[in-house]
Structure formats: structure tokens, C-alpha cells
Amino acid sequence: MSEVLKIDSLVKRYDDLSVLEKIDLTVKKGEVIVIVGPSGCGKSTLLRCINGLESIQDGKVVVDDEVVNPVQKKASKSREKIGMVFQSYDLFPHKNLLQNITLAPIKVQKRKKEEVKEEAIELLKRVGLENRTDSYPRQLSGGQKQRAAIVRALIMHPEILLLDEITAALDPEMVREVLDVVLNLAKEGHTMVIVTHEMAFAKAVADRVIFMDGGKIVEEGSPEEFFENPRTERLKRFLETFTY
Amino acid sequence: MTNLGFDVLFKGSNFIRLLLGVWVAVRISLISIVLSIILGMILGILMSLKNPVINAVSKVYLEIVRIMPQMVLLFVVYFGATKALGLNLSAETSAVIVFTFWGTAEMADLVRSSLISIPSIQYESSFSLGLSKVQTYIYVIVPQTMRRLIPLSINLITRMIKTTSLVMMIGIVEVLKVGQQIIEANRKASPNAAFGVYATVFILYFMVCWPISSLSKYLEKRWEN
Ligand SMILES: Nc1ncnc2c1ncn2[C@@H]1O[C@H](COP(=O)(O)OP(=O)(O)OP(=O)(O)O)[C@@H](O)[C@H]1O
Ligand SMILES: [Mg+2]
């Protein structure tokens, strides 16, 4: 299988604070990677480095045979290939759902308005939002907003989708509807890197789970070995914090 | 029937004179407002870049505008510049300079605060969709900034129009001054003229400012989203 993402000894510092130390990671097409780890260990920073939102101090990130970090001249071109959904609601508040979703395909990929609109409605149907096309973000629940944000990323047909704790800000009863959408994407073969604190979901969705601590990848493995037989003391302790 | 003093308005060309007075006030505010918006936008954008030199200079400038009464500024520019520096500024030019000096400062502050109130996640999610910097500004940032900025700047515009009544202090014959002249001239013949004339001036100001502030209310409602 071909590699979609290759991270090569990536180093990220904020001034003197070292946030990521020599991260190596390869993701194959169709693979779903889940990253877990304590707060502040660098999970969000890693995702932001992958799509070029953060500059890096050493190493490189390659997506689909193209170096995306260090950021190149035509950065916006390569960003199309990387979809990202954030923890906080990042829909554009002045645009309705349909406009939110169709903006980038029309303006960035120069696709035909009609065709994009058709696909948008098709995708919205799959997340149960087809009758909310004219709604503005403030008229939607948190769960609906996050499902729409996923659609907005998907319609660009990204090579890889990055999800950063997309249910962390949601009320508990809305978490399920969003995670179900992600689970379906995984079944359809989308390549994803997911940061989450939902361990049951991680177990269900992941092909490979990665444990980060202190800016390093400490342990990784299949969901079974990762959750049933953690090798390192640190991961054991981390997983214990999730059982009462 | 009591004489409310409206009759003086129909004497000679009094009413036309009042209307011309309104036009003087509107002309001064219009020129100042257009200049303030252009210069304020430029300065506001510069201020949002957080350059230390620009910030220090603009801070002093904004502070001066904030603490100086507009009337003092008018006197400084009209009498000060004309007499001391030997510049031959007309009263109307001086008024435009002062109102632009004031309006630019306030406008720049509004532009700056509207720009920095857009959360950084808006820029980031736009970038991650592949939009370029320019596209991000055109489709995401500027429309959101405008929605905050326009109601605020309309408020500034109505305040500027109202404050033009000060220019009669440097001898410009605008609507309020015309009103006073009419009252003076009719002191004997119709002692109640003050009421009729000032009521009319009130209505004239209302007719200029009301449509502007209703436009602002309308836009605010439309952009609630
Ligand atoms: N802009 C910044 N400037 C300085 N330090 C930063 C900045 N952004 C993040 N950091 C630091 O980098 C480290 C990693 O942050 P990051 O947000 O990646 O953690 P995280 O693993 O996503 O945590 P969480 O689970 O709480 O989201 C933290 O120590 C944080 O304080
Ligand atoms: Mg995070």
C-alpha cells in the first residue's frame, strides 16, 4: 500500500520550549491512526505541523509525495490535500451551511457551482443535515456544526483527514452522532489521523493507536495490544486514568 | 391661537436659508466622513499588524483626539494655523481638517478592534481548506469585519454630523447659525421665533441622521447571523 503521510524526524519548538522531539510517523492509504496522550503532550501541535499551520525547526512532512512542511511557496495548493476539523467550531459564521461547504471547492478547486452543490447535498444527506442547507452556524447544535465541518473538509476530497478532538467541546449526548460519522468514514477507507480522548471510540476506529507523552511517541500498536497489553509503564498509568 | 413662532420660516427666503445651512453642515461632514473612512481603514489595518512604532505613534494620536474637545481643535487649526503659521485656511477647510483628524482616529480604532476580534481559528480553518491569504481575506475575514464595523461606523458618522454645529464658532454659517440669525432679525416682530426655528432645526437634524441610523439598525438585524 502506498504512503499518504510520512513524517521524518520532526522537531517543533516554541522559543525555548521543545514541544515535539524527533517524531517519525508513516501513514498508509486507508489507514486510521488514533493519537492519545495527556494534555499538553503535543497532539494538536503535531496535527498543525502536518497541515503547515505551524513552522517546524527540523525534519519534514511529506503528504502524497509532496513536502508540505517546511512550508513551500504554493502552500495553499498542497493544503487542499489535507482536510482538518478542529475542536472548536470553525464554520464561517457569516455563511450558511451550503455556502460554508461549497466555498473552497468553487474558489480553490475552481469546480462548477452546480456540481459542487449536488455533491454537498449528497454529503449532507449522509450526515443527516440535508434539510439544514440554509441554516447559519449559530442556528445549529454543536453536534450538527461538527458534522457540517467534517463535510466541509470531505468535499475537497483530501488525501488525509486530520481530526483534533472534534467531540471534546460537545455535550455528551451529541458525541455519538459525530463519532458515528467518523466511524463510517473509516469503513469507507478514508485515511485519517484522529486525536481523541474517547478510548472506546479509539478502540473501535483505529488500525493503529499511538501514545504520545512529553512531545515523543512513547508507544504504538494495534488497538488490541495497545489497550489490553500496554508495554510501557507510562501508557499503563495513562490508561488507568480512564477507568474508575 | 398661541404663536409658536413657525411663521418666521415663511418670511422671505428664511426656510431656504435654513436648508442651505443644513447643506453646509452636510457638506463638511460628508467630505470629512469620506476622508476619515479611507484614512481610518488604512491606519486601522496598520494598527492591527502590531508594529511597535506604529502602535506607539497611533496611541499618542488617539489619546490626543480623545482628550481634546473638538472646539479646541477647531480654534487651534483655524486661528492657530491661519495666524501663527501664516497659512491661509478658510473656515470650512479648517473644519474639514479637524473633523477628519478626529474621524480618522475613531475610525482607525473601530477598524482595528473589528479586525482583531476575528478569532484566529477563522484564518486557520480557511487556510486548511486551501484558500490563499488573499482569498481568506476576501471571503472570510473582511465580510465578518464589515458586519462588526458598519454599525459602529454609522454611529460615528451621525456623531460627526451632529458635531458640525460647532463650526459656527469659527464663523461658518451652518444651519444652527442661520437659525440664530433668523431669530435675531425677528426679535421684535415675532418674539416666539426661537421655538419655531429651533424646532425646525431639530427636525432637519433628525431628517438627516434618522435614515442613517435606521440603515444601521436594518443592517444589524440582517447580519445577526
Ligand atoms: N503558540 C504557542 N506558543 C507557545 N507554546 C505553545 C503554543 N501552542 C502550544 N504550546 C505548548 O505546546 C505544548 C503542546 O501543546 P498542544 O496543544 O499540542 O497539546 P495537546 O497534546 O494538544 O493538549 P490537549 O490534549 O490539552 O489539547 C503545550 O505545552 C503548550 O503549552
Ligand atoms: Mg489539543
Side-chain angles (χ1 to χ4, degrees):
Chain A
M1 269 202 286
S2 61
E3 287 169 2
V4 174
L5 168 68
K6 191 166 168 52
I7 301 175
D8 221 355
S9 43
L10 182 156
V11 174
K12 169 71 189 170
R13 279 188 300 266
Y14 288 110
D15 300 318
D16 287 338
L17 177 72
S18 175
V19 179
L20 298 173
E21 297 170 29
K22 282 204 165 285
I23 300 280
D24 289 295
L25 178 66
T26 304
V27 181
K28 298 198 189 88
K29 196 166 180 60
E31 219 180 355
V32 176
I33 307 286
V34 170
I35 303 177
V36 300
S39 181
C41 72
K43 306 178 298 289
S44 300
T45 307
L46 179 59
L47 293 194
R48 294 164 59 82
C49 288
I50 295 174
N51 80 346
L53 285 175
E54 299 283 346
S55 63
I56 60 178
Q57 276 62 52
D58 200 11
K60 66 177 179 188
V61 180
V62 180
V63 170
D64 202 26
D65 293 328
E66 211 177 316
V67 177
V68 295
N69 209 341
V71 178
Q72 312 286 302
K73 271 242 167 62
K74 272 270 149 204
S76 54
K77 234 17 240 145
S78 51
R79 283 221 183 93
E80 285 176 49
K81 297 184 182 173
I82 309 165
M84 179 142 178
V85 181
F86 300 80
Q87 169 181 338
S88 58
Y89 315 127
D90 51 335
L91 294 176
F92 305 132
H94 62 295
K95 294 188 177 296
N96 68 26
L97 261 200
L98 195 64
Q99 292 165 336
N100 257 283
I101 292 163
T102 56
L103 175 69
I106 293 172
K107 299 299 176 194
V108 178
Q109 298 177 326
K110 314 280 182 221
R111 283 156 65 188
K112 287 225 175 56
K113 213 171 172 171
E114 279 315 304
E115 175 237 337
V116 171
K117 204 174 145 184
E118 232 166 77
E119 187 181 355
I121 290 168
E122 197 55 46
L123 286 170
L124 282 171
K125 234 179 235 160
R126 281 172 42 192
V127 302
L129 288 174
E130 70 275 20
N131 48 18
R132 304 308 297 268
T133 48
D134 296 332
S135 302
Y136 284 85
R138 69 174 178 94
Q139 299 166 322
L140 300 173
S141 74
Q144 292 172 326
K145 278 188 261 197
Q146 288 302 64
R147 282 182 276 153
I150 293 172
V151 167
R152 189 175 66 173
L154 275 183
I155 200 167
M156 298 296 283
H157 307 145
E159 293 295 321
I160 187 166
L161 201 53
L162 312 174
L163 308 179
D164 188 4
E165 296 196 48
I166 59 171
T167 59
L170 296 182
D171 291 336
E173 70 268 23
M174 291 171 187
V175 170
R176 186 67 194 235
E177 63 188 45
V178 176
L179 294 185
D180 280 342
V181 169
V182 180
L183 217 50
N184 271 327
L185 295 180
K187 284 194 195 122
E188 287 164 16
H190 287 273
T191 315
M192 293 190 275
V193 178
I194 302 170
V195 171
T196 184
H197 283 299
E198 306 278 342
M199 291 303 144
F201 167 67
K203 215 183 275 185
V205 78
D207 293 312
R208 192 148 47 106
V209 191
I210 288 174
F211 173 58
M212 279 179 72
D213 196 6
K216 289 195 198 105
I217 295 180
V218 174
E219 181 166 345
E220 64 173 281
S222 69
E224 294 77 30
E225 35 175 327
F226 188 93
F227 290 106
E228 309 309 329
N229 288 312
R231 294 189 303 272
T232 58
E233 215 26 61
R234 272 202 273 180
L235 175 55
K236 265 182 211 151
R237 259 185 283 127
F238 175 73
L239 290 175
E240 271 162 18
T241 61
F242 288 90
T243 51
Y244 296 98
Chain B
M1 201 183 86
T2 40
N3 182 350
L4 291 178
F6 284 102
D7 52 329
V8 290
L9 296 170
F10 303 104
K11 274 200 205 148
S13 57
N14 279 354
F15 190 65
I16 303 290
R17 283 175 59 209
L18 270 183
L19 285 183
L20 287 174
V22 172
W23 169 238
V24 171
V26 168
R27 187 171 62 208
I28 293 174
S29 6
L30 215 58
I31 299 172
S32 313
I33 286 163
V34 169
L35 289 173
S36 299
I37 287 175
I38 296 169
L39 297 173
M41 290 255 182
I42 296 171
L43 182 62
I45 291 169
L46 289 176
M47 280 159 64
S48 75
L49 301 179
K50 302 202 170 94
N51 174 303
V53 179
I54 296 172
N55 275 13
V57 173
S58 52
K59 204 171 163 196
V60 174
Y61 169 38
L62 259 60
E63 208 49 43
I64 291 175
V65 173
R66 212 164 278 148
I67 56 181
M68 281 282 236
Q70 276 91 28
M71 193 134 78
V72 175
L73 285 174
L74 273 175
F75 286 160
V76 167
V77 172
Y78 183 57
F79 298 112
T82 327
K83 305 281 139 48
L85 301 177
L87 293 172
N88 200 6
L89 296 178
S90 74
E92 205 169 315
T93 309
S94 308
V96 167
I97 290 174
V98 168
F99 281 98
T100 305
F101 183 76
W102 165 40
T104 299
E106 294 230 12
M107 189 68 197
D109 207 33
L110 297 180
V111 170
R112 183 197 58 86
S113 64
S114 308
L115 268 177
I116 62 169
S117 71
I118 310 288
S120 59
I121 188 91
Q122 291 288 317
Y123 292 85
E124 292 178 348
S125 52
S126 175
F127 290 151
S128 42
L129 284 167
L131 276 85
S132 67
K133 250 199 171 115
V134 175
Q135 285 175 323
T136 297
Y137 272 96
I138 296 177
Y139 301 116
V140 179
I141 304 304
V142 172
Q144 290 185 56
T145 311
M146 282 306 177
R147 280 166 168 72
R148 290 165 204 230
L149 185 60
I150 287 179
L152 297 172
S153 42
I154 286 180
N155 175 286
L156 171 63
I157 288 170
T158 49
R159 275 192 296 135
M160 284 175 79
I161 294 174
K162 286 188 289 188
T163 315
T164 48
S165 56
L166 288 180
V167 301
M168 71 176 180
M169 303 302 294
I170 56 171
I172 297 178
V173 184
E174 47 65 75
V175 58
L176 201 55
K177 186 74 191 171
V178 175
Q180 288 183 346
Q181 289 173 346
I182 295 173
I183 296 164
E184 281 303 307
N186 294 280
R187 171 160 301 198
K188 290 251 168 55
S190 102
N192 285 340
F195 181 80
V197 170
Y198 285 135
T200 309
V201 171
F202 169 85
I203 292 165
L204 289 173
Y205 266 113
F206 181 80
M207 279 165 49
V208 173
C209 290
W210 186 73
I212 302 175
S213 65
S214 347
L215 173 70
S216 149
K217 286 219 185 68
Y218 166 79
L219 289 176
E220 254 174 279
K221 235 188 146 51
R222 231 191 95 174
W223 287 342
E224 254 174 353
N225 298 305

